[in-house]
Amino acid sequence: MILLKPLELAWRALNRLRRALYRWGVLRPARLPRPVISVGNLSAGGAGKTPAVIAIAGYLHRHGYRVSVLTRGYGRVNGECGLVDSHDAERFGDEPVLIKSLFPDVAVIVGSNRFANAIQFLTTNDCDVFILDDGFQHLQLARDVNVLIDAPEGRWFREGPSAKGDADIVIGRALRVIDGDRVKGKRVFAFSGLADNEQFFATLRQCGAILAGTRGFRDHHRYEATDLASIREAAAAVSAELIVTTQKDAVKFDERDIIPLVVEMAIDPAVLEAIAARVSGNVS
């Protein structure tokens, strides 16, 4: 960990320089013909960006906005770009598929060039607002609302605290479990493939689960049949009553005996109203 610290500092310095070049006007972001809400963070993973995107997209969708999500689509096997039109996590990535599964009427567009992807989308479709997933460092694209998730407990940081000054809205990483009663008092075997698996295991303990065993995989891990068989064997060996994972992991397989824990980002309704108000001023 200590040996990687110089790389983190170099990463932060590079991002600080890029941000300064955009601030000084040396580099200029491209602007889409629709409002853009960026959701991002300073750390590398584990801050709750996807739950925040889901919370904001859900709020806007319920209030009549036509929402489209622009996401890089980490974990895709073949680098396919475009609209998510199936629940194929290998093709589109686990997080885009999760968003699409929760909001079938929301357009989810994957690909690294978010500007070009949005322009292509608008040639045959329309929306009122784009949400830019993991967009705080994606300075190439102009945004109308810059939402930053403040997660100071992160292990690796892409930028230092001074970058918070570029955020319009700063929210804390406040995740809450919707169906915690399903695991309360139960012997649980938990597994996940996240940037910080221990956060998920700690959440289960907070729900009152008795963690009989855990297994952590790398972020965006693609589960093979051998992985699932091994998990079941490990769960049986510790007499677990339930096998539990995250929603993000569960979109990568169809196994009815594995329970996805539903977790959402708790965002103050006043903050959601403020985001909508900024967007409505830019929607024609």
Side-chain angles (χ1 to χ4, degrees), residues 51 54-55 98 101-103 174-183 200 203-204 207 243-251 258-266:
I54 289 168
L98 173 58
S101 68
L102 294 173
F103 304 114
L175 297 176
R176 61 188 176 197
V177 180
I178 302 302
D179 54 352
D181 287 344
R182 300 180 73 181
V183 300
F200 175 59
T203 297
L204 286 167
C207 291
I243 303 175
V244 179
T245 190
T246 72
Q247 285 183 296
K248 170 180 165 178
D249 289 285
V251 299
I258 298 175
I259 297 173
L261 193 69
V262 179
V263 178
E264 70 175 15
M265 178 71 82

PDB file of all heavy atoms in Angstrom, residues 51 54-55 98 101-103 174-183 200 203-204 207 243-251 258-266:
ATOM      1  N   PRO A  51     -25.214   4.317  -6.785  1.00  0.00           N
ATOM      2  CA  PRO A  51     -26.436   4.571  -6.008  1.00  0.00           C
ATOM      3  C   PRO A  51     -26.895   6.026  -6.079  1.00  0.00           C
ATOM      4  O   PRO A  51     -28.105   6.295  -6.083  1.00  0.00           O
ATOM      5  CB  PRO A  51     -26.033   4.184  -4.579  1.00  0.00           C
ATOM      6  CG  PRO A  51     -24.965   3.171  -4.760  1.00  0.00           C
ATOM      7  CD  PRO A  51     -24.200   3.623  -5.966  1.00  0.00           C
ATOM      8  N   ILE A  54     -28.569   6.506  -9.406  1.00  0.00           N
ATOM      9  CA  ILE A  54     -29.873   5.861  -9.347  1.00  0.00           C
ATOM     10  C   ILE A  54     -30.873   6.743  -8.590  1.00  0.00           C
ATOM     11  O   ILE A  54     -32.025   6.913  -9.024  1.00  0.00           O
ATOM     12  CB  ILE A  54     -29.750   4.469  -8.693  1.00  0.00           C
ATOM     13  CG1 ILE A  54     -29.030   3.517  -9.650  1.00  0.00           C
ATOM     14  CG2 ILE A  54     -31.121   3.918  -8.302  1.00  0.00           C
ATOM     15  CD1 ILE A  54     -28.604   2.206  -9.020  1.00  0.00           C
ATOM     16  N   ALA A  55     -30.444   7.316  -7.478  1.00  0.00           N
ATOM     17  CA  ALA A  55     -31.341   8.169  -6.685  1.00  0.00           C
ATOM     18  C   ALA A  55     -31.758   9.414  -7.463  1.00  0.00           C
ATOM     19  O   ALA A  55     -32.937   9.790  -7.470  1.00  0.00           O
ATOM     20  CB  ALA A  55     -30.658   8.565  -5.378  1.00  0.00           C
ATOM     21  N   LEU A  98     -27.487  -2.642 -14.127  1.00  0.00           N
ATOM     22  CA  LEU A  98     -28.241  -2.432 -12.898  1.00  0.00           C
ATOM     23  C   LEU A  98     -29.170  -1.226 -13.033  1.00  0.00           C
ATOM     24  O   LEU A  98     -30.359  -1.300 -12.682  1.00  0.00           O
ATOM     25  CB  LEU A  98     -27.289  -2.223 -11.722  1.00  0.00           C
ATOM     26  CG  LEU A  98     -27.937  -1.828 -10.388  1.00  0.00           C
ATOM     27  CD1 LEU A  98     -28.963  -2.866  -9.947  1.00  0.00           C
ATOM     28  CD2 LEU A  98     -26.877  -1.611  -9.321  1.00  0.00           C
ATOM     29  N   SER A 101     -32.022  -2.068 -15.341  1.00  0.00           N
ATOM     30  CA  SER A 101     -32.978  -3.004 -14.756  1.00  0.00           C
ATOM     31  C   SER A 101     -33.922  -2.311 -13.781  1.00  0.00           C
ATOM     32  O   SER A 101     -35.080  -2.721 -13.628  1.00  0.00           O
ATOM     33  CB  SER A 101     -32.236  -4.142 -14.042  1.00  0.00           C
ATOM     34  OG  SER A 101     -31.558  -3.678 -12.882  1.00  0.00           O
ATOM     35  N   LEU A 102     -33.440  -1.252 -13.128  1.00  0.00           N
ATOM     36  CA  LEU A 102     -34.272  -0.510 -12.185  1.00  0.00           C
ATOM     37  C   LEU A 102     -35.187   0.481 -12.892  1.00  0.00           C
ATOM     38  O   LEU A 102     -36.302   0.754 -12.421  1.00  0.00           O
ATOM     39  CB  LEU A 102     -33.381   0.230 -11.180  1.00  0.00           C
ATOM     40  CG  LEU A 102     -32.561  -0.654 -10.233  1.00  0.00           C
ATOM     41  CD1 LEU A 102     -31.606   0.195  -9.417  1.00  0.00           C
ATOM     42  CD2 LEU A 102     -33.477  -1.457  -9.315  1.00  0.00           C
ATOM     43  N   PHE A 103     -34.723   1.040 -14.037  1.00  0.00           N
ATOM     44  CA  PHE A 103     -35.493   2.051 -14.765  1.00  0.00           C
ATOM     45  C   PHE A 103     -35.557   1.687 -16.250  1.00  0.00           C
ATOM     46  O   PHE A 103     -34.777   2.204 -17.053  1.00  0.00           O
ATOM     47  CB  PHE A 103     -34.857   3.431 -14.603  1.00  0.00           C
ATOM     48  CG  PHE A 103     -34.680   3.870 -13.183  1.00  0.00           C
ATOM     49  CD1 PHE A 103     -33.413   4.042 -12.651  1.00  0.00           C
ATOM     50  CD2 PHE A 103     -35.774   4.104 -12.360  1.00  0.00           C
ATOM     51  CE1 PHE A 103     -33.239   4.448 -11.342  1.00  0.00           C
ATOM     52  CE2 PHE A 103     -35.612   4.504 -11.051  1.00  0.00           C
ATOM     53  CZ  PHE A 103     -34.343   4.673 -10.534  1.00  0.00           C
ATOM     54  N   ALA A 174     -24.133   8.404   2.102  1.00  0.00           N
ATOM     55  CA  ALA A 174     -25.122   7.945   3.078  1.00  0.00           C
ATOM     56  C   ALA A 174     -25.939   6.825   2.463  1.00  0.00           C
ATOM     57  O   ALA A 174     -26.976   7.064   1.836  1.00  0.00           O
ATOM     58  CB  ALA A 174     -26.017   9.098   3.513  1.00  0.00           C
ATOM     59  N   LEU A 175     -25.458   5.604   2.606  1.00  0.00           N
ATOM     60  CA  LEU A 175     -26.152   4.449   2.045  1.00  0.00           C
ATOM     61  C   LEU A 175     -27.057   3.825   3.102  1.00  0.00           C
ATOM     62  O   LEU A 175     -26.669   3.686   4.264  1.00  0.00           O
ATOM     63  CB  LEU A 175     -25.139   3.411   1.547  1.00  0.00           C
ATOM     64  CG  LEU A 175     -24.233   3.866   0.406  1.00  0.00           C
ATOM     65  CD1 LEU A 175     -23.219   2.793   0.071  1.00  0.00           C
ATOM     66  CD2 LEU A 175     -25.039   4.241  -0.824  1.00  0.00           C
ATOM     67  N   ARG A 176     -28.262   3.440   2.692  1.00  0.00           N
ATOM     68  CA  ARG A 176     -29.174   2.787   3.622  1.00  0.00           C
ATOM     69  C   ARG A 176     -29.727   1.516   2.987  1.00  0.00           C
ATOM     70  O   ARG A 176     -29.958   1.451   1.777  1.00  0.00           O
ATOM     71  CB  ARG A 176     -30.313   3.729   4.007  1.00  0.00           C
ATOM     72  CG  ARG A 176     -31.190   4.190   2.858  1.00  0.00           C
ATOM     73  CD  ARG A 176     -32.160   5.273   3.311  1.00  0.00           C
ATOM     74  NE  ARG A 176     -32.942   5.797   2.197  1.00  0.00           N
ATOM     75  CZ  ARG A 176     -33.608   6.950   2.244  1.00  0.00           C
ATOM     76  NH1 ARG A 176     -33.572   7.676   3.341  1.00  0.00           N
ATOM     77  NH2 ARG A 176     -34.298   7.363   1.194  1.00  0.00           N
ATOM     78  N   VAL A 177     -29.928   0.524   3.821  1.00  0.00           N
ATOM     79  CA  VAL A 177     -30.409  -0.776   3.366  1.00  0.00           C
ATOM     80  C   VAL A 177     -31.929  -0.796   3.400  1.00  0.00           C
ATOM     81  O   VAL A 177     -32.546  -0.414   4.399  1.00  0.00           O
ATOM     82  CB  VAL A 177     -29.846  -1.897   4.249  1.00  0.00           C
ATOM     83  CG1 VAL A 177     -30.355  -3.256   3.781  1.00  0.00           C
ATOM     84  CG2 VAL A 177     -28.318  -1.862   4.228  1.00  0.00           C
ATOM     85  N   ILE A 178     -32.535  -1.222   2.300  1.00  0.00           N
ATOM     86  CA  ILE A 178     -33.986  -1.238   2.188  1.00  0.00           C
ATOM     87  C   ILE A 178     -34.577  -2.517   2.777  1.00  0.00           C
ATOM     88  O   ILE A 178     -35.636  -2.494   3.406  1.00  0.00           O
ATOM     89  CB  ILE A 178     -34.416  -1.091   0.715  1.00  0.00           C
ATOM     90  CG1 ILE A 178     -33.862   0.219   0.134  1.00  0.00           C
ATOM     91  CG2 ILE A 178     -35.929  -1.134   0.577  1.00  0.00           C
ATOM     92  CD1 ILE A 178     -34.295   1.452   0.887  1.00  0.00           C
ATOM     93  N   ASP A 179     -33.910  -3.633   2.568  1.00  0.00           N
ATOM     94  CA  ASP A 179     -34.468  -4.925   2.978  1.00  0.00           C
ATOM     95  C   ASP A 179     -33.588  -5.618   4.017  1.00  0.00           C
ATOM     96  O   ASP A 179     -33.383  -6.835   3.968  1.00  0.00           O
ATOM     97  CB  ASP A 179     -34.678  -5.820   1.761  1.00  0.00           C
ATOM     98  CG  ASP A 179     -33.404  -5.983   0.927  1.00  0.00           C
ATOM     99  OD1 ASP A 179     -32.420  -5.281   1.218  1.00  0.00           O
ATOM    100  OD2 ASP A 179     -33.407  -6.807   0.002  1.00  0.00           O
ATOM    101  N   GLY A 180     -33.091  -4.848   4.979  1.00  0.00           N
ATOM    102  CA  GLY A 180     -32.202  -5.395   5.997  1.00  0.00           C
ATOM    103  C   GLY A 180     -32.836  -6.464   6.866  1.00  0.00           C
ATOM    104  O   GLY A 180     -32.132  -7.328   7.410  1.00  0.00           O
ATOM    105  N   ASP A 181     -34.167  -6.454   7.006  1.00  0.00           N
ATOM    106  CA  ASP A 181     -34.835  -7.455   7.846  1.00  0.00           C
ATOM    107  C   ASP A 181     -34.651  -8.863   7.310  1.00  0.00           C
ATOM    108  O   ASP A 181     -34.792  -9.841   8.063  1.00  0.00           O
ATOM    109  CB  ASP A 181     -36.331  -7.141   7.953  1.00  0.00           C
ATOM    110  CG  ASP A 181     -36.608  -5.931   8.831  1.00  0.00           C
ATOM    111  OD1 ASP A 181     -35.692  -5.528   9.578  1.00  0.00           O
ATOM    112  OD2 ASP A 181     -37.714  -5.366   8.747  1.00  0.00           O
ATOM    113  N   ARG A 182     -34.338  -8.982   6.029  1.00  0.00           N
ATOM    114  CA  ARG A 182     -34.164 -10.317   5.434  1.00  0.00           C
ATOM    115  C   ARG A 182     -32.936 -11.028   6.010  1.00  0.00           C
ATOM    116  O   ARG A 182     -32.889 -12.264   6.005  1.00  0.00           O
ATOM    117  CB  ARG A 182     -34.020 -10.219   3.916  1.00  0.00           C
ATOM    118  CG  ARG A 182     -35.202  -9.606   3.217  1.00  0.00           C
ATOM    119  CD  ARG A 182     -34.989  -9.545   1.718  1.00  0.00           C
ATOM    120  NE  ARG A 182     -35.083 -10.855   1.099  1.00  0.00           N
ATOM    121  CZ  ARG A 182     -34.906 -11.064  -0.198  1.00  0.00           C
ATOM    122  NH1 ARG A 182     -34.614 -10.061  -1.016  1.00  0.00           N
ATOM    123  NH2 ARG A 182     -35.000 -12.289  -0.708  1.00  0.00           N
ATOM    124  N   VAL A 183     -31.957 -10.254   6.489  1.00  0.00           N
ATOM    125  CA  VAL A 183     -30.720 -10.868   6.984  1.00  0.00           C
ATOM    126  C   VAL A 183     -30.558 -10.751   8.498  1.00  0.00           C
ATOM    127  O   VAL A 183     -29.664 -11.366   9.075  1.00  0.00           O
ATOM    128  CB  VAL A 183     -29.493 -10.242   6.283  1.00  0.00           C
ATOM    129  CG1 VAL A 183     -29.568 -10.454   4.774  1.00  0.00           C
ATOM    130  CG2 VAL A 183     -29.369  -8.756   6.605  1.00  0.00           C
ATOM    131  N   PHE A 200     -19.329  -3.436   2.232  1.00  0.00           N
ATOM    132  CA  PHE A 200     -20.549  -4.236   2.099  1.00  0.00           C
ATOM    133  C   PHE A 200     -20.710  -5.175   3.293  1.00  0.00           C
ATOM    134  O   PHE A 200     -21.808  -5.301   3.864  1.00  0.00           O
ATOM    135  CB  PHE A 200     -20.508  -5.033   0.798  1.00  0.00           C
ATOM    136  CG  PHE A 200     -21.656  -5.984   0.620  1.00  0.00           C
ATOM    137  CD1 PHE A 200     -22.967  -5.525   0.609  1.00  0.00           C
ATOM    138  CD2 PHE A 200     -21.431  -7.344   0.462  1.00  0.00           C
ATOM    139  CE1 PHE A 200     -24.032  -6.395   0.455  1.00  0.00           C
ATOM    140  CE2 PHE A 200     -22.489  -8.220   0.304  1.00  0.00           C
ATOM    141  CZ  PHE A 200     -23.792  -7.752   0.298  1.00  0.00           C
ATOM    142  N   THR A 203     -21.856  -3.304   6.268  1.00  0.00           N
ATOM    143  CA  THR A 203     -23.267  -2.950   6.163  1.00  0.00           C
ATOM    144  C   THR A 203     -24.150  -4.108   6.627  1.00  0.00           C
ATOM    145  O   THR A 203     -25.151  -3.911   7.330  1.00  0.00           O
ATOM    146  CB  THR A 203     -23.621  -2.576   4.711  1.00  0.00           C
ATOM    147  OG1 THR A 203     -22.875  -1.419   4.330  1.00  0.00           O
ATOM    148  CG2 THR A 203     -25.106  -2.289   4.559  1.00  0.00           C
ATOM    149  N   LEU A 204     -23.788  -5.324   6.250  1.00  0.00           N
ATOM    150  CA  LEU A 204     -24.553  -6.494   6.679  1.00  0.00           C
ATOM    151  C   LEU A 204     -24.521  -6.641   8.199  1.00  0.00           C
ATOM    152  O   LEU A 204     -25.541  -6.956   8.830  1.00  0.00           O
ATOM    153  CB  LEU A 204     -23.995  -7.749   6.018  1.00  0.00           C
ATOM    154  CG  LEU A 204     -24.328  -7.915   4.530  1.00  0.00           C
ATOM    155  CD1 LEU A 204     -23.476  -9.001   3.908  1.00  0.00           C
ATOM    156  CD2 LEU A 204     -25.800  -8.239   4.350  1.00  0.00           C
ATOM    157  N   CYS A 207     -26.876  -4.391   9.814  1.00  0.00           N
ATOM    158  CA  CYS A 207     -28.264  -4.839   9.669  1.00  0.00           C
ATOM    159  C   CYS A 207     -28.603  -5.961  10.646  1.00  0.00           C
ATOM    160  O   CYS A 207     -29.750  -6.431  10.670  1.00  0.00           O
ATOM    161  CB  CYS A 207     -28.522  -5.322   8.250  1.00  0.00           C
ATOM    162  SG  CYS A 207     -28.506  -4.027   7.014  1.00  0.00           S
ATOM    163  N   ILE A 243     -27.206 -16.932   1.417  1.00  0.00           N
ATOM    164  CA  ILE A 243     -26.070 -16.424   0.647  1.00  0.00           C
ATOM    165  C   ILE A 243     -26.496 -15.072   0.100  1.00  0.00           C
ATOM    166  O   ILE A 243     -27.530 -14.956  -0.567  1.00  0.00           O
ATOM    167  CB  ILE A 243     -25.689 -17.366  -0.504  1.00  0.00           C
ATOM    168  CG1 ILE A 243     -25.369 -18.764   0.023  1.00  0.00           C
ATOM    169  CG2 ILE A 243     -24.488 -16.805  -1.269  1.00  0.00           C
ATOM    170  CD1 ILE A 243     -25.091 -19.778  -1.077  1.00  0.00           C
ATOM    171  N   VAL A 244     -25.703 -14.046   0.390  1.00  0.00           N
ATOM    172  CA  VAL A 244     -26.090 -12.665   0.089  1.00  0.00           C
ATOM    173  C   VAL A 244     -24.995 -11.979  -0.711  1.00  0.00           C
ATOM    174  O   VAL A 244     -23.800 -12.176  -0.460  1.00  0.00           O
ATOM    175  CB  VAL A 244     -26.369 -11.883   1.388  1.00  0.00           C
ATOM    176  CG1 VAL A 244     -26.744 -10.437   1.088  1.00  0.00           C
ATOM    177  CG2 VAL A 244     -27.485 -12.549   2.189  1.00  0.00           C
ATOM    178  N   THR A 245     -25.402 -11.159  -1.672  1.00  0.00           N
ATOM    179  CA  THR A 245     -24.463 -10.340  -2.429  1.00  0.00           C
ATOM    180  C   THR A 245     -25.090  -8.976  -2.685  1.00  0.00           C
ATOM    181  O   THR A 245     -26.143  -8.644  -2.125  1.00  0.00           O
ATOM    182  CB  THR A 245     -24.068 -11.048  -3.748  1.00  0.00           C
ATOM    183  OG1 THR A 245     -22.972 -10.349  -4.359  1.00  0.00           O
ATOM    184  CG2 THR A 245     -25.236 -11.100  -4.721  1.00  0.00           C
ATOM    185  N   THR A 246     -24.480  -8.173  -3.548  1.00  0.00           N
ATOM    186  CA  THR A 246     -24.995  -6.846  -3.871  1.00  0.00           C
ATOM    187  C   THR A 246     -25.847  -6.902  -5.138  1.00  0.00           C
ATOM    188  O   THR A 246     -25.743  -7.850  -5.936  1.00  0.00           O
ATOM    189  CB  THR A 246     -23.854  -5.844  -4.100  1.00  0.00           C
ATOM    190  OG1 THR A 246     -23.216  -6.141  -5.353  1.00  0.00           O
ATOM    191  CG2 THR A 246     -22.819  -5.920  -2.983  1.00  0.00           C
ATOM    192  N   GLN A 247     -26.662  -5.882  -5.346  1.00  0.00           N
ATOM    193  CA  GLN A 247     -27.432  -5.797  -6.592  1.00  0.00           C
ATOM    194  C   GLN A 247     -26.505  -5.716  -7.796  1.00  0.00           C
ATOM    195  O   GLN A 247     -26.775  -6.306  -8.844  1.00  0.00           O
ATOM    196  CB  GLN A 247     -28.333  -4.570  -6.566  1.00  0.00           C
ATOM    197  CG  GLN A 247     -29.567  -4.679  -5.699  1.00  0.00           C
ATOM    198  CD  GLN A 247     -30.428  -3.443  -5.796  1.00  0.00           C
ATOM    199  OE1 GLN A 247     -30.010  -2.351  -5.411  1.00  0.00           O
ATOM    200  NE2 GLN A 247     -31.631  -3.583  -6.326  1.00  0.00           N
ATOM    201  N   LYS A 248     -25.414  -4.985  -7.647  1.00  0.00           N
ATOM    202  CA  LYS A 248     -24.456  -4.833  -8.741  1.00  0.00           C
ATOM    203  C   LYS A 248     -23.867  -6.180  -9.154  1.00  0.00           C
ATOM    204  O   LYS A 248     -23.679  -6.447 -10.348  1.00  0.00           O
ATOM    205  CB  LYS A 248     -23.346  -3.866  -8.311  1.00  0.00           C
ATOM    206  CG  LYS A 248     -22.150  -3.778  -9.248  1.00  0.00           C
ATOM    207  CD  LYS A 248     -21.129  -2.804  -8.716  1.00  0.00           C
ATOM    208  CE  LYS A 248     -19.786  -2.957  -9.402  1.00  0.00           C
ATOM    209  NZ  LYS A 248     -18.789  -1.981  -8.930  1.00  0.00           N
ATOM    210  N   ASP A 249     -23.591  -7.037  -8.175  1.00  0.00           N
ATOM    211  CA  ASP A 249     -23.054  -8.363  -8.487  1.00  0.00           C
ATOM    212  C   ASP A 249     -24.137  -9.276  -9.050  1.00  0.00           C
ATOM    213  O   ASP A 249     -23.881 -10.067  -9.953  1.00  0.00           O
ATOM    214  CB  ASP A 249     -22.446  -8.993  -7.226  1.00  0.00           C
ATOM    215  CG  ASP A 249     -21.153  -8.316  -6.809  1.00  0.00           C
ATOM    216  OD1 ASP A 249     -20.131  -8.541  -7.469  1.00  0.00           O
ATOM    217  OD2 ASP A 249     -21.171  -7.555  -5.828  1.00  0.00           O
ATOM    218  N   ALA A 250     -25.348  -9.157  -8.521  1.00  0.00           N
ATOM    219  CA  ALA A 250     -26.416 -10.089  -8.869  1.00  0.00           C
ATOM    220  C   ALA A 250     -26.868  -9.966 -10.319  1.00  0.00           C
ATOM    221  O   ALA A 250     -27.453 -10.915 -10.859  1.00  0.00           O
ATOM    222  CB  ALA A 250     -27.604  -9.895  -7.935  1.00  0.00           C
ATOM    223  N   VAL A 251     -26.629  -8.815 -10.974  1.00  0.00           N
ATOM    224  CA  VAL A 251     -27.052  -8.690 -12.374  1.00  0.00           C
ATOM    225  C   VAL A 251     -26.189  -9.551 -13.295  1.00  0.00           C
ATOM    226  O   VAL A 251     -26.526  -9.712 -14.471  1.00  0.00           O
ATOM    227  CB  VAL A 251     -27.005  -7.210 -12.855  1.00  0.00           C
ATOM    228  CG1 VAL A 251     -27.938  -6.338 -12.037  1.00  0.00           C
ATOM    229  CG2 VAL A 251     -25.579  -6.661 -12.840  1.00  0.00           C
ATOM    230  N   ILE A 258     -29.394 -16.990  -4.276  1.00  0.00           N
ATOM    231  CA  ILE A 258     -28.490 -15.921  -3.842  1.00  0.00           C
ATOM    232  C   ILE A 258     -29.289 -14.624  -3.755  1.00  0.00           C
ATOM    233  O   ILE A 258     -29.914 -14.197  -4.729  1.00  0.00           O
ATOM    234  CB  ILE A 258     -27.304 -15.772  -4.805  1.00  0.00           C
ATOM    235  CG1 ILE A 258     -26.484 -17.069  -4.820  1.00  0.00           C
ATOM    236  CG2 ILE A 258     -26.432 -14.581  -4.404  1.00  0.00           C
ATOM    237  CD1 ILE A 258     -25.344 -17.070  -5.828  1.00  0.00           C
ATOM    238  N   ILE A 259     -29.285 -14.008  -2.586  1.00  0.00           N
ATOM    239  CA  ILE A 259     -30.119 -12.839  -2.316  1.00  0.00           C
ATOM    240  C   ILE A 259     -29.328 -11.544  -2.542  1.00  0.00           C
ATOM    241  O   ILE A 259     -28.273 -11.347  -1.914  1.00  0.00           O
ATOM    242  CB  ILE A 259     -30.639 -12.869  -0.867  1.00  0.00           C
ATOM    243  CG1 ILE A 259     -31.534 -14.087  -0.648  1.00  0.00           C
ATOM    244  CG2 ILE A 259     -31.391 -11.579  -0.537  1.00  0.00           C
ATOM    245  CD1 ILE A 259     -31.949 -14.278   0.788  1.00  0.00           C
ATOM    246  N   PRO A 260     -29.794 -10.660  -3.419  1.00  0.00           N
ATOM    247  CA  PRO A 260     -29.148  -9.345  -3.555  1.00  0.00           C
ATOM    248  C   PRO A 260     -29.693  -8.381  -2.511  1.00  0.00           C
ATOM    249  O   PRO A 260     -30.911  -8.195  -2.409  1.00  0.00           O
ATOM    250  CB  PRO A 260     -29.522  -8.910  -4.968  1.00  0.00           C
ATOM    251  CG  PRO A 260     -30.817  -9.605  -5.242  1.00  0.00           C
ATOM    252  CD  PRO A 260     -30.835 -10.883  -4.444  1.00  0.00           C
ATOM    253  N   LEU A 261     -28.810  -7.791  -1.730  1.00  0.00           N
ATOM    254  CA  LEU A 261     -29.239  -6.814  -0.730  1.00  0.00           C
ATOM    255  C   LEU A 261     -29.489  -5.478  -1.419  1.00  0.00           C
ATOM    256  O   LEU A 261     -28.639  -4.988  -2.170  1.00  0.00           O
ATOM    257  CB  LEU A 261     -28.158  -6.652   0.335  1.00  0.00           C
ATOM    258  CG  LEU A 261     -28.577  -5.913   1.613  1.00  0.00           C
ATOM    259  CD1 LEU A 261     -29.552  -6.758   2.417  1.00  0.00           C
ATOM    260  CD2 LEU A 261     -27.360  -5.573   2.457  1.00  0.00           C
ATOM    261  N   VAL A 262     -30.637  -4.889  -1.173  1.00  0.00           N
ATOM    262  CA  VAL A 262     -31.019  -3.626  -1.821  1.00  0.00           C
ATOM    263  C   VAL A 262     -30.537  -2.463  -0.961  1.00  0.00           C
ATOM    264  O   VAL A 262     -30.970  -2.300   0.178  1.00  0.00           O
ATOM    265  CB  VAL A 262     -32.538  -3.543  -2.027  1.00  0.00           C
ATOM    266  CG1 VAL A 262     -32.914  -2.219  -2.682  1.00  0.00           C
ATOM    267  CG2 VAL A 262     -33.028  -4.720  -2.873  1.00  0.00           C
ATOM    268  N   VAL A 263     -29.626  -1.680  -1.528  1.00  0.00           N
ATOM    269  CA  VAL A 263     -29.050  -0.531  -0.835  1.00  0.00           C
ATOM    270  C   VAL A 263     -29.270   0.707  -1.691  1.00  0.00           C
ATOM    271  O   VAL A 263     -29.098   0.657  -2.917  1.00  0.00           O
ATOM    272  CB  VAL A 263     -27.538  -0.732  -0.582  1.00  0.00           C
ATOM    273  CG1 VAL A 263     -26.937   0.492   0.094  1.00  0.00           C
ATOM    274  CG2 VAL A 263     -27.302  -1.972   0.274  1.00  0.00           C
ATOM    275  N   GLU A 264     -29.660   1.818  -1.079  1.00  0.00           N
ATOM    276  CA  GLU A 264     -29.864   3.049  -1.833  1.00  0.00           C
ATOM    277  C   GLU A 264     -29.119   4.210  -1.172  1.00  0.00           C
ATOM    278  O   GLU A 264     -28.805   4.166   0.020  1.00  0.00           O
ATOM    279  CB  GLU A 264     -31.345   3.379  -1.952  1.00  0.00           C
ATOM    280  CG  GLU A 264     -32.015   3.808  -0.661  1.00  0.00           C
ATOM    281  CD  GLU A 264     -33.461   4.249  -0.871  1.00  0.00           C
ATOM    282  OE1 GLU A 264     -34.017   3.950  -1.946  1.00  0.00           O
ATOM    283  OE2 GLU A 264     -34.018   4.877   0.046  1.00  0.00           O
ATOM    284  N   MET A 265     -28.828   5.213  -1.980  1.00  0.00           N
ATOM    285  CA  MET A 265     -28.202   6.434  -1.470  1.00  0.00           C
ATOM    286  C   MET A 265     -29.282   7.350  -0.915  1.00  0.00           C
ATOM    287  O   MET A 265     -30.246   7.670  -1.615  1.00  0.00           O
ATOM    288  CB  MET A 265     -27.429   7.138  -2.577  1.00  0.00           C
ATOM    289  CG  MET A 265     -26.782   8.446  -2.148  1.00  0.00           C
ATOM    290  SD  MET A 265     -25.373   8.227  -1.038  1.00  0.00           S
ATOM    291  CE  MET A 265     -24.079   7.853  -2.224  1.00  0.00           C
ATOM    292  N   ALA A 266     -29.118   7.735   0.342  1.00  0.00           N
ATOM    293  CA  ALA A 266     -30.070   8.647   0.969  1.00  0.00           C
ATOM    294  C   ALA A 266     -29.635  10.079   0.677  1.00  0.00           C
ATOM    295  O   ALA A 266     -28.615  10.541   1.183  1.00  0.00           O
ATOM    296  CB  ALA A 266     -30.123   8.400   2.472  1.00  0.00           C
TER     297      ALA A 266
END
